Amino acid sequence: TAALPAWAGGTDQTSLTVIVTDKTVVRLTDLTVEDKSYDGTTDAAFTVDGEIGLEAVEGSYHHPFGVEGHTVTGEPVIHFLDKNAGTDKGVTVEGLQIEGEYAEYFRLDYSNLRADITPREITVTGLEAVDRAYDFTAKVELTGGTAEGILPEEAEAVQILIPTEGEMEDADAGKDKAVTAEVVFADTVSDADRANYTIVQPELTVDITPLKLGTPAGLGWEKAGGTRIFWNPVEHASGYRVQFYCDGEKLGEPVPVEGTAFDCRELAERDGRYSFAVQAVGEGNFADGEYSSLSSQNVLGGSSFAAQTGDFPDTGMWMRWTALLGAAAVTAAAVIAGRAKKTRRQHRRRR
């Protein structure tokens, strides 16, 4: 009851009763706003389970009328409050009305309608790690790569940097080894744009083959007619294989040797001209190398060994001995011939 002054009512005092009401807050039921990936718009999709219903918000009744007998009509148009990625984001709803006898006493509230906008994924296709041989490092070369997922209208503002080098967990040789390579946003991309996108890091693998060892060099015989051979060491070799040849033909299977020298006396079972080739043997991160070229030839043989307790003399000495023996033989023959001729002359005189 309010008291009005005389000037307002035309009398000294007038009494009247004023009923003050507020609308009851109601919410929509059976309507769900769907989460979405960032697409640069505020558009929101929704689903309805049967028909959209109403429920009053507890504690918001301001009149005795219930929601029973009231319906929701119209086609909803829903938008997020802004376009940016985020969780539990609010929305606006248009196009819906409450129908019923006391519809004017209800007010729709949409605060229960919320959904997420997840960052849009940027993927990199065509990025590959280049297979290579072991090189003592864990670095790997990367080639190719194209960014996908950036909205065309934001391609200029949102740029990424695709790496040209990746890294393995270790440097060892192996097949399908995992390679880590990070794709990042360019420095010019704003924080807001970064928040609307997420970069899916590429899953890369690489094959690292064992490094092929070098070819042995410096092959030689310790001395002419001798049976000991040698060659220069090859870095990282775990051992060697020696293939012998006699008169140009392979002599059995390769012989495994740990060091860089070997005595082949037991292999020289027959007379002939012997030579050999050497291969470096690898293991782990190193692969077998190529066989070397053939060494120089050396005359060896079982019959020669049977006639001596040591190795053959060197070639120069052998030739000198041969020359000396030949000269001695010529001299002896001349002496014998001379003596025979003198004997014949003496014999004729006596007659």
mmCIF file of all heavy atoms in Angstrom, residues 156-174:
data_model
loop_
_atom_site.group_PDB
_atom_site.id
_atom_site.type_symbol
_atom_site.label_atom_id
_atom_site.label_comp_id
_atom_site.label_asym_id
_atom_site.label_seq_id
_atom_site.Cartn_x
_atom_site.Cartn_y
_atom_site.Cartn_z
ATOM 1 N N GLU A 156 47.982 -16.386 -44.309
ATOM 2 C CA GLU A 156 49.045 -15.391 -44.266
ATOM 3 C C GLU A 156 49.435 -15.075 -42.829
ATOM 4 O O GLU A 156 50.611 -14.862 -42.520
ATOM 5 C CB GLU A 156 48.588 -14.115 -44.982
ATOM 6 C CG GLU A 156 49.733 -13.176 -45.322
ATOM 7 C CD GLU A 156 49.293 -12.063 -46.271
ATOM 8 O OE1 GLU A 156 48.521 -12.338 -47.201
ATOM 9 O OE2 GLU A 156 49.736 -10.928 -46.051
ATOM 10 N N ALA A 157 48.447 -15.067 -41.954
ATOM 11 C CA ALA A 157 48.713 -14.724 -40.547
ATOM 12 C C ALA A 157 49.268 -15.896 -39.765
ATOM 13 O O ALA A 157 50.017 -15.707 -38.800
ATOM 14 C CB ALA A 157 47.425 -14.228 -39.883
ATOM 15 N N VAL A 158 48.897 -17.107 -40.161
ATOM 16 C CA VAL A 158 49.328 -18.303 -39.431
ATOM 17 C C VAL A 158 50.306 -19.088 -40.310
ATOM 18 O O VAL A 158 49.902 -19.777 -41.240
ATOM 19 C CB VAL A 158 48.126 -19.189 -39.036
ATOM 20 C CG1 VAL A 158 48.609 -20.412 -38.257
ATOM 21 C CG2 VAL A 158 47.130 -18.391 -38.212
ATOM 22 N N GLN A 159 51.554 -18.973 -40.021
ATOM 23 C CA GLN A 159 52.584 -19.681 -40.774
ATOM 24 C C GLN A 159 53.428 -20.523 -39.818
ATOM 25 O O GLN A 159 53.623 -20.162 -38.653
ATOM 26 C CB GLN A 159 53.478 -18.699 -41.525
ATOM 27 C CG GLN A 159 52.729 -17.894 -42.579
ATOM 28 C CD GLN A 159 53.651 -17.012 -43.396
ATOM 29 O OE1 GLN A 159 54.865 -17.053 -43.253
ATOM 30 N NE2 GLN A 159 53.071 -16.201 -44.272
ATOM 31 N N ILE A 160 53.903 -21.664 -40.339
ATOM 32 C CA ILE A 160 54.715 -22.554 -39.515
ATOM 33 C C ILE A 160 56.075 -22.762 -40.172
ATOM 34 O O ILE A 160 56.240 -22.530 -41.376
ATOM 35 C CB ILE A 160 54.031 -23.916 -39.291
ATOM 36 C CG1 ILE A 160 53.848 -24.658 -40.625
ATOM 37 C CG2 ILE A 160 52.715 -23.754 -38.572
ATOM 38 C CD1 ILE A 160 53.378 -26.083 -40.460
ATOM 39 N N LEU A 161 57.017 -23.198 -39.357
ATOM 40 C CA LEU A 161 58.369 -23.478 -39.839
ATOM 41 C C LEU A 161 58.582 -24.986 -39.816
ATOM 42 O O LEU A 161 58.485 -25.627 -38.753
ATOM 43 C CB LEU A 161 59.403 -22.783 -38.954
ATOM 44 C CG LEU A 161 59.258 -21.257 -38.823
ATOM 45 C CD1 LEU A 161 60.315 -20.713 -37.871
ATOM 46 C CD2 LEU A 161 59.351 -20.598 -40.183
ATOM 47 N N ILE A 162 58.844 -25.558 -40.998
ATOM 48 C CA ILE A 162 59.067 -27.000 -41.125
ATOM 49 C C ILE A 162 60.561 -27.268 -41.074
ATOM 50 O O ILE A 162 61.321 -26.696 -41.856
ATOM 51 C CB ILE A 162 58.456 -27.537 -42.427
ATOM 52 C CG1 ILE A 162 56.942 -27.285 -42.435
ATOM 53 C CG2 ILE A 162 58.747 -29.017 -42.600
ATOM 54 C CD1 ILE A 162 56.260 -27.662 -43.729
ATOM 55 N N PRO A 163 61.017 -28.109 -40.163
ATOM 56 C CA PRO A 163 62.464 -28.317 -39.998
ATOM 57 C C PRO A 163 63.076 -29.077 -41.167
ATOM 58 O O PRO A 163 62.404 -29.829 -41.871
ATOM 59 C CB PRO A 163 62.555 -29.138 -38.703
ATOM 60 C CG PRO A 163 61.250 -29.881 -38.658
ATOM 61 C CD PRO A 163 60.226 -28.938 -39.236
ATOM 62 N N THR A 164 64.360 -28.871 -41.350
ATOM 63 C CA THR A 164 65.123 -29.604 -42.371
ATOM 64 C C THR A 164 66.071 -30.607 -41.731
ATOM 65 O O THR A 164 66.813 -31.287 -42.436
ATOM 66 C CB THR A 164 65.942 -28.628 -43.234
ATOM 67 O OG1 THR A 164 66.815 -27.869 -42.388
ATOM 68 C CG2 THR A 164 65.023 -27.686 -43.988
ATOM 69 N N GLU A 165 66.029 -30.698 -40.407
ATOM 70 C CA GLU A 165 66.903 -31.630 -39.702
ATOM 71 C C GLU A 165 66.184 -32.193 -38.487
ATOM 72 O O GLU A 165 65.458 -31.483 -37.799
ATOM 73 C CB GLU A 165 68.195 -30.922 -39.270
ATOM 74 C CG GLU A 165 69.230 -31.837 -38.643
ATOM 75 C CD GLU A 165 70.503 -31.101 -38.288
ATOM 76 O OE1 GLU A 165 70.479 -30.326 -37.307
ATOM 77 O OE2 GLU A 165 71.524 -31.281 -38.996
ATOM 78 N N GLY A 166 66.340 -33.480 -38.266
ATOM 79 C CA GLY A 166 65.778 -34.141 -37.103
ATOM 80 C C GLY A 166 66.886 -34.817 -36.312
ATOM 81 O O GLY A 166 68.059 -34.761 -36.676
ATOM 82 N N GLU A 167 66.483 -35.494 -35.239
ATOM 83 C CA GLU A 167 67.489 -36.136 -34.393
ATOM 84 C C GLU A 167 66.953 -37.454 -33.860
ATOM 85 O O GLU A 167 65.793 -37.562 -33.453
ATOM 86 C CB GLU A 167 67.883 -35.217 -33.246
ATOM 87 C CG GLU A 167 69.058 -35.732 -32.435
ATOM 88 C CD GLU A 167 69.657 -34.664 -31.551
ATOM 89 O OE1 GLU A 167 69.159 -33.520 -31.567
ATOM 90 O OE2 GLU A 167 70.630 -34.961 -30.827
ATOM 91 N N MET A 168 67.831 -38.456 -33.851
ATOM 92 C CA MET A 168 67.502 -39.759 -33.289
ATOM 93 C C MET A 168 67.936 -39.794 -31.821
ATOM 94 O O MET A 168 68.692 -38.957 -31.350
ATOM 95 C CB MET A 168 68.216 -40.872 -34.066
ATOM 96 C CG MET A 168 67.922 -40.894 -35.545
ATOM 97 S SD MET A 168 68.901 -42.169 -36.394
ATOM 98 C CE MET A 168 70.579 -41.478 -36.258
ATOM 99 N N GLU A 169 67.463 -40.809 -31.121
ATOM 100 C CA GLU A 169 67.839 -40.955 -29.715
ATOM 101 C C GLU A 169 69.319 -41.282 -29.574
ATOM 102 O O GLU A 169 69.971 -40.878 -28.608
ATOM 103 C CB GLU A 169 66.992 -42.056 -29.061
ATOM 104 C CG GLU A 169 67.209 -42.189 -27.569
ATOM 105 C CD GLU A 169 66.271 -43.189 -26.937
ATOM 106 O OE1 GLU A 169 65.261 -43.563 -27.569
ATOM 107 O OE2 GLU A 169 66.547 -43.611 -25.800
ATOM 108 N N ASP A 170 69.862 -42.016 -30.535
ATOM 109 C CA ASP A 170 71.288 -42.325 -30.536
ATOM 110 C C ASP A 170 71.779 -42.384 -31.972
ATOM 111 O O ASP A 170 70.998 -42.312 -32.912
ATOM 112 C CB ASP A 170 71.580 -43.649 -29.808
ATOM 113 C CG ASP A 170 70.811 -44.818 -30.400
ATOM 114 O OD1 ASP A 170 70.988 -45.094 -31.611
ATOM 115 O OD2 ASP A 170 70.039 -45.476 -29.679
ATOM 116 N N ALA A 171 73.091 -42.528 -32.130
ATOM 117 C CA ALA A 171 73.686 -42.488 -33.470
ATOM 118 C C ALA A 171 73.793 -43.858 -34.119
ATOM 119 O O ALA A 171 74.181 -43.961 -35.281
ATOM 120 C CB ALA A 171 75.078 -41.859 -33.388
ATOM 121 N N ASP A 172 73.432 -44.924 -33.412
ATOM 122 C CA ASP A 172 73.673 -46.282 -33.902
ATOM 123 C C ASP A 172 72.873 -46.608 -35.157
ATOM 124 O O ASP A 172 71.798 -46.046 -35.404
ATOM 125 C CB ASP A 172 73.327 -47.304 -32.817
ATOM 126 C CG ASP A 172 74.277 -47.221 -31.635
ATOM 127 O OD1 ASP A 172 75.397 -46.712 -31.830
ATOM 128 O OD2 ASP A 172 73.893 -47.647 -30.529
ATOM 129 N N ALA A 173 73.405 -47.545 -35.926
ATOM 130 C CA ALA A 173 72.700 -48.044 -37.105
ATOM 131 C C ALA A 173 71.480 -48.838 -36.667
ATOM 132 O O ALA A 173 71.446 -49.435 -35.587
ATOM 133 C CB ALA A 173 73.630 -48.925 -37.938
ATOM 134 N N GLY A 174 70.442 -48.842 -37.501
ATOM 135 C CA GLY A 174 69.226 -49.572 -37.187
ATOM 136 C C GLY A 174 68.156 -49.278 -38.212
ATOM 137 O O GLY A 174 68.273 -48.349 -39.023
#
